[in-house]
Amino acid sequence: MQLKSSGNFAFIVGLITQLMFDYALGEKKVLATVPNMNVLLNDVLFMEVLQPSEIRYTFKIRLAKNFGISFRKYQSIELAIAEPYHGCTHLSNTHLVKGRIVLIQRGECSFVTKAINAEQAGAVGVVITDNDVNNDHAFIDMIDDNTDRTVGIPATFLLGKDGNMIKNTLDRLHQQYAVITIPINITGANVYHVNQPPWTLW
């Protein structure tokens, strides 16, 4: 189904509400929340940045398809940036990563390799952001690389523009960490009260 670019916002909200209701009744529906993109309702998670305050937004994320474990809720946990950012070798800043969530950029090696390097550095979870820093809508499925390795921490995908905004803000403010809550549940929340990033449509 395609909506006109001038679309009726109330219609969209009503459609989403109906799909959520159908899902609650056990009917697995597809929830279209971004242009040209189908996102299964049970694939959608969210995280909230609490600090720095200038990027205090709710970000949509997607859990890895077939590796890693489920996220337990981390309330006000620190998010560190991996060094190297691609996370394809052992992380050199383990003292900053240990016991925290780590942000790693997509590319140069498999998602599993990145997650394992994060785990070996002591991270309790990894957020892998797209290496297309202009990507503000297209989610991908992070899948196992068939190397028979086991990932013991949760891994999730973040849009490239969102990850770039987070990293650039921390760099500009000379801060080592963001503070986040992950995951959060916004099911049933009034859309006007969800503080989504102004550069992202979902």
Side-chain angles (χ1 to χ4, degrees):
M1 179 181 64
Q2 292 184 338
L3 299 176
K4 294 181 180 180
S5 58
S6 60
N8 187 312
F9 183 74
F11 174 80
I12 296 173
V13 172
L15 175 62
I16 292 173
T17 301
Q18 182 61 50
L19 287 170
M20 286 181 173
F21 178 76
D22 290 340
Y23 184 83
L25 294 178
E27 298 181 25
K28 192 174 184 181
K29 301 278 182 150
V30 173
L31 177 62
T33 58
V34 290
N36 305 315
M37 181 72 199
N38 287 331
V39 180
L40 287 176
L41 191 59
N42 63 345
D43 285 344
V44 176
L45 294 174
F46 299 87
M47 75 174 191
E48 182 180 19
V49 172
L50 306 175
Q51 294 292 336
S53 58
E54 65 185 76
I55 50 170
R56 184 166 184 158
Y57 298 116
T58 300
F59 297 89
K60 182 182 284 187
I61 54 179
R62 175 179 280 192
L63 198 64
K65 191 80 171 178
N66 57 1
F67 68 88
I69 63 174
S70 298
F71 260 108
R72 71 175 182 84
K73 185 165 185 176
Y74 290 99
Q75 185 80 38
S76 299
I77 191 170
E78 290 171 325
L79 174 76
I81 308 298
E83 293 180 9
Y85 192 32
H86 56 66
C88 292
T89 58
H90 292 298
L91 303 190
S92 61
N93 60 335
T94 56
H95 61 294
L96 300 180
V97 170
K98 187 175 181 179
R100 299 178 171 93
I101 308 291
V102 63
L103 180 67
I104 293 178
Q105 190 175 56
R106 178 188 180 193
E108 300 189 35
C109 64
S110 72
F111 295 120
V112 169
T113 294
K114 296 173 187 292
I116 287 176
N117 287 336
E119 183 179 7
Q120 290 177 345
V124 298
V126 58
V127 175
I128 300 176
T129 185
D130 198 5
N131 53 359
D132 178 359
V133 299
N134 294 312
N135 176 15
D136 60 2
H137 69 280
F139 283 82
I140 66 168
D141 286 327
M142 299 198 305
I143 60 173
D144 194 350
D145 61 5
N146 297 316
T147 55
D148 295 322
R149 294 178 293 171
T150 300
V151 177
I153 60 174
T156 188
F157 181 81
L158 175 70
L159 293 174
K161 192 161 189 176
D162 292 345
N164 188 56
M165 288 289 188
I166 292 171
K167 183 179 185 297
N168 284 350
T169 300
L170 291 178
D171 288 345
R172 178 169 48 80
L173 297 176
H174 304 290
Q175 294 185 10
Q176 294 179 324
Y177 311 111
V179 179
I180 66 172
T181 292
I182 186 171
I184 63 170
N185 180 10
I186 66 169
T187 302
N190 188 315
V191 292
Y192 297 106
H193 296 160
V194 177
N195 192 24
Q196 71 184 83
W199 56 84
T200 302
L201 174 65
W202 46 259

